Each structure stands twice: as structure tokens, then as C-alpha cells.
Amino acid sequence: MAVRMIEHTPETASESIALTALESSGAGWWRVLDNETAWWSPRMFDLFGLPRDSGVPTIGDLYRLYHPDDADMVARAFMTLFRSDEPVTLRYRTVHPSGEVRQHMTWGRRQPVDADGNRWLAGMVMDVTEHVDDARLIEDQRAFRFVADHTSDMVVRHRMGVGLTYVSPASRTVFGYSPTEMLGKDPADLAVPEDVVRIRGLLAERIARGETVSAEGYEYRGIHKDGHQVWLEANPRLVINGAGEMTEIVDVVRDISARKQAEAELHAARIEAEAASRAKSEFLANMSHELRTPLTSILGFSRLIGAGGGLSEGDRGYLDLIRSAGETLLTVVNDILDFSKLEAGALTLDPEPFSIAALGDGATALLRDQADGKGLTLTCEVADDVRLTGDVTRLRQVLLNLLSNAVKFTDAGSVRLALSTEDGVDGSPVLVASVTDTGCGLDPAHIDQMFDRFTQADGSVSRKFGGTGLGLAISRRLMDIMGGEIGASSDGATGSTFWFRVPLSLAADEAAQVSEAPGGGLDRPLRVLLAEDNAANRTLVAALLGAMDVALDMVENGEEAVRAVAATAYDLVLMDMQMPVMDGPAATRAIRALGDQTPIVALTANVLPEQIDQCRAAGMQGHVAKPIDPLALMAALSEHARPAHEKAAAA
């Protein structure tokens, strides 16, 4: 690689003085940019035995001037300079074109970025071939010390058995001692003892490897003159004699106490943030459990009473209000939990085959009563009933959010859901959905912010209609995860349209057939054990399963469940997670420890992803969330129940 000669003008008075001192003492000064562009002081040509008019040598030619045994060492030293702000001091041999071998000492360091955005390497070179007491060497050492005296890092020389023989003025800021006070001291006396033992071990390893220069510095704790500890970083160069013994250390020591303090504060902040995150997760989990447990009874019994008939029109209205209030509260709980999952990146997709028509009909069916109660016309239009594969649960969640908002904010007229498909960029199908209402419309200036978390069109919205302001934010995040997009349009007067587009894939025929399997009744009588400490929930499950040809035994804690399973053959165990005496996971592990493989399904208000993972890890096969959806409960029974006679035969 060519090295381009460039003109260099000293940037400061100090640099000009330093260059003059170096030239007068016989030392040379160099600068390198990007391992390519270089500047040499005139003395550099003399040091390498080159004519001053020959031009700066290329990097390749320069390395050929180093002694073959030292060239690799010099190359490693320069790599260290390129990667670190630490200075490097190095002694090496050069071979002049005349064949003469000379000893050189160089000091270099990476410089701050200049006004043009360049990062230079700069340093000095001295010829130290002559004897130590040679007058020229003394001048060279003076020049070397001039540079050391003008750096904020402390430069020291430590001769084994003698102590510190040179200390730069930076010792006053690093250790609080003047250079004179430090001369003759053993550096080990200025460091924390355990750190001294560690660094001595590291140096012994370097000596064993024959390394005099290392790209890695050492961090240790020094003891300041006033007694407090300071964090230091050293980058020692070792002088090793022919017997492999370390005779001297030339070191550059930097105070890194501020950096260590910042690292400690960052570590403490991270620990505090993690603790806050755990506390938030625990709070959400507890809040979810405590709300879902009573909601299980409120929604479950209101459904049972409503399905039983015999109510007056007034009583049925009251019951509908109870159920509606419970479902609203459950929606709020689910929104908060879903948003927490999305914020933590813990929500995963569960794709399965589905029918577009079934998706639309199911979503509108859930809002039918609410729309009829307001006298609204609710319709679903499907352009073509295509079978697709996607997370139908999350797609239904987005549709329900858009539909429920439309019904909520429309006082008269209609709400229309339209579903269709179009070809994507790669030819795969894109599901297109739109919900159009005849409500009050939206201010076009507020549409974008409506998809932000905790945001509604204005404060009066939450006062009049309620809600958390999370529904549309969750819908947008779900669309982002699925690779889709969501938006809205309105003229501000004649209603609004909310839409989304999401790329999916065509469903395989056999998979689609499986997904269409009817969720009807059980194909045989079952014997089921329910472990549940809440009396109201035991009554509710008994009522739900009583209509499903299920013989039900009930216990109140996990310990009783273990004894019951050991004594009786069950087709399935429904296990609550949080119970006194022994909780659900512990009871499941105890049952599995008996060698019993009876299917166990969690029936619980613990619905966070990590809680569901705990169910699986304990040995459970399935999970049904509270409040209990009767269809989900029946699906779990159909999927997981194992005939009790199979267990008896296996035993």
C-alpha cells in the first residue's frame, strides 16, 4: 500500500516546541493516517538510513527495514494503536540499507479526531544504540520525557529490585504524589493487595509466552495518597533479558475511576430496571389472577342463568347488564395484559387454517346483541370464502376491536364488515378487512394518534364511552408482528372506515379440514378430577360439565389431587395453578413422579406466557384460561382426555 507524503504544520505552540526539541536531540516525529498517508520529520530519514529526498517509504518497504525478528512485534504494536487510545512504547531493531543494525525506541498514540474527521496515529522515534551514558542518548531521553510530561496519563519506569526510576508529572492527578515522592517506590505498594496478586499472575503468563507488548491493558485499584481507592488502567511494556527474566517495566497508567463509576451506575440502573420489570410483571400477574377469579363466577353463572330461561323481561335485562359489565372488565384486563406482552416482545403467533367467512361470521356474531340493542344493522360481506393460514385468534381480536369500536361510537344506522383477498407482491394472498360505520366520524387530524397507546380522540371519549385507549394500539402492534398494516379514514361527518391488510398463506386442504372439525359434544362419557380451591368456581365447573356427560370428582388443593389420582383412574385432571397446601405445578410434578401419565390441563386465571410455560414445564398437557369459555373447556376435554381403562391397563 502506498504511503503519500503530506505537509504537516504544527497545530499548537506546544507541538512546535516539542518538534524543535525532538529534532535538536536527534529524535524523529511521525504521523500516520488510515495506515496509508504519512508525514515524517526530516530526522526520520536519518534514523532509518534513507536519503532525505527519497520520499516516505510505503508501509511494505518500511517493514522491510525492521529487523526480521522484530517486524511482527512492530506490526502488533501498530494494530494496538489502531484499536485503542492507549499509548504504546516499543524498542526494536532496524536494518539500514547499508546493512547496519540500529536500536530504536518509539512512542506512539492514537490522536483525537481532527476538524476534517480524520483520526491520526502520531509518535516519536529515538536511536538508542549507543551506551546509556552517551550524551546523545541523554538528549533523546529528555525529548522522550518531554512528551511524557505533557500527557494526562502517568508514564513510569520500574526497574526490578530498584523501584520506580521515572515518574511523569501526571502522578499528581493519578495518585496525589509528586514524581519525586514516588521515585524508588514499589508499584505494588500503591495497589490493592488482591489486585497485585492477579496482575503478577498475568505478567508471569506474558513472560512465559515471551510477550513484551500486549494489546490488552490491565485494570486494578490503586491507593491514592489520601487513602481512597482509584480505578486505574495500565498497559505495561516488559523488558526481558536473555535469560527470560523481566528486568524493567515501562508503563502508561490512566485513571478510569469516572468510567468505573459510570459503569457501576449503569449496572445499578439495569438491576433497578430489571427489578421494576419483575415487579410490574408480578403485579400484572396478580392483578390478572385476582380479577379473573371473580369474573369467572360473574360471567359463568350469568351465562348459565341466561341459558336456563324462566326469567322475567326485567330480570333478563339486569342479567344482561351484569354480563356486559363483566365482559367489559375482562376486555380491559385482556388489553392491559396483551399490551404488556407486546411491549416485552413476549407475544408469539400461533398460525392455523381458517375460513374467511367463518372468521367474519364469528366476529359479527359476538357483537350482534350489542348492535341489536342500539338498533344498528350489523352485516358481514365476504367477497370470496378462501381458506388461509394465520393466527386466527389474533385476527379475530383485531376485528372485534374494530367492530366493537364501530358499534360503540355509532348511535344510528349501520356497521358493515367487508372481507376479501388480493394478491400480494410475491403472489401470496393478502387478507383485506374494512369496518365502515355511520357514526359521528373522526377528525382527520387525529386519526394517526388514535393508534398510539393510551390515546383516544379526545378526553370526552373515555368519559362517555370508557375504555383504556389500548385497543387500537394493540391492533397496530399485532399487525406489525404479522407483517400487515392498519389505518382509518373519515371525512369527519358521515362515519368512518377502519381497515387492515395482512399477508397470509393458503391453507392446505387437510389442515383446513382439521380446523373445521365441529366442536360438538364428547364422543364418550368421561371421569374427570377438578382441583380447585374456590368454591364458586367448583360449582360453576360442575354445572358446565354436568351437561357434557362427565362424572366429576372435586378436591380443594394439590395434595388432595395427588392422593385422588393415586387411588382412582381418571380420563383427565383439571388443575388450578394457585391453591393452598400444594399448588398446581407442584401437584403435577408429584403425580408425574408416581409414574402416572393421566392428562392434566391447567384451568387457571394465570394466563401470562411465562405462567403457561410453567404449566408445560411441570408436565401439564393443556391450558384453559379463566373466565372459562365453555367451548374452550370442551375442546380441551376432547383433545386431551385419555380413557381411564388405558391407565388401568398400563398400571
Side-chain angles (χ1 to χ4, degrees), residues 564-571 596-598 642-651:
V565 171
T568 307
Y570 291 102
D571 298 304
D596 193 292
Q597 297 303 314
T598 300
R642 173 187 176 190
H645 67 81
E646 291 185 10
K647 174 188 172 182

Side-chain angles (χ1 to χ4, degrees), residues 355-368 380-382 417 419:
S355 159
I356 293 180
L359 173 65
D361 291 342
T364 52
L366 292 174
L367 274 298
R368 183 72 62 192
C380 176
E381 300 176 3
V382 179
L417 168 64
L419 296 173

Side-chain angles (χ1 to χ4, degrees), residues 4-65:
R4 293 184 284 112
M5 181 72 173
I6 67 171
E7 181 180 355
H8 174 66
T9 302
E11 298 176 359
T12 64
S14 295
E15 184 180 357
S16 179
I17 294 172
L19 291 177
T20 301
L22 289 171
E23 287 293 315
S24 64
S25 67
W29 187 263
W30 54 264
R31 288 166 64 93
V32 172
L33 174 65
D34 297 331
N35 204 21
E36 174 184 349
T37 304
W39 174 82
W40 275 18
S41 69
R43 180 61 178 155
M44 288 290 294
F45 295 92
D46 303 335
L47 292 171
F48 281 85
L50 300 173
R52 290 195 175 189
D53 60 354
S54 62
V56 179
T58 66
I59 294 297
D61 290 338
L62 182 61
Y63 276 105
R64 281 193 285 272
L65 296 175

Side-chain angles (χ1 to χ4, degrees), residues 65-67 69-70 91-95 101-104:
L65 296 175
Y66 296 125
H67 192 283
D69 294 339
D70 295 345
R91 180 178 291 180
Y92 57 88
R93 291 164 293 176
T94 62
V95 182
V101 177
R102 306 294 294 179
Q103 290 276 350
H104 284 176

Side-chain angles (χ1 to χ4, degrees), residues 123-143:
M124 53 168 285
V125 177
M126 299 180 296
D127 190 319
V128 294
T129 308
E130 308 300 331
H131 196 266
V132 175
D133 59 3
D134 187 291
R136 194 177 69 181
L137 178 57
I138 294 174
E139 290 300 318
D140 289 345
Q141 289 177 334
R142 288 176 180 170

Side-chain angles (χ1 to χ4, degrees), residues 305-443:
I305 294 172
L311 297 176
S312 68
E313 184 174 346
D315 288 342
R316 180 171 293 280
Y318 296 148
L319 186 64
D320 289 342
L321 290 175
I322 293 172
R323 185 175 66 249
S324 176
E327 289 173 347
T328 299
L329 181 56
L330 180 60
T331 298
V332 172
V333 173
N334 287 337
D335 280 352
I336 294 174
L337 292 178
D338 277 345
F339 189 77
S340 177
K341 295 176 193 175
L342 289 166
E343 288 288 282
L347 190 143
T348 58
L349 299 178
D350 185 18
E352 59 179 305
F354 68 93
S355 159
I356 293 180
L359 173 65
D361 291 342
T364 52
L366 292 174
L367 274 298
R368 183 72 62 192
D369 290 345
Q370 186 177 344
D372 291 345
K374 298 183 69 173
L376 302 176
T377 301
L378 177 61
T379 59
C380 176
E381 300 176 3
V382 179
D384 47 354
D385 186 13
V386 180
R387 300 185 186 279
L388 303 175
T389 295
D391 192 328
V392 66
T393 300
R394 296 302 176 183
L395 290 170
R396 185 183 298 112
Q397 180 179 352
V398 177
L399 279 180
L400 288 175
N401 183 272
L402 301 185
L403 286 167
S404 63
N405 281 346
V407 172
K408 181 191 297 185
F409 296 113
T410 301
D411 293 328
S414 64
V415 174
R416 178 174 63 90
L417 168 64
L419 296 173
S420 63
T421 59
E422 61 184 40
D423 290 336
V425 176
D426 60 355
S428 59
V430 175
L431 176 62
V432 181
S434 63
V435 175
T436 302
D437 63 64
T438 58
C440 57
L442 301 169
D443 183 348

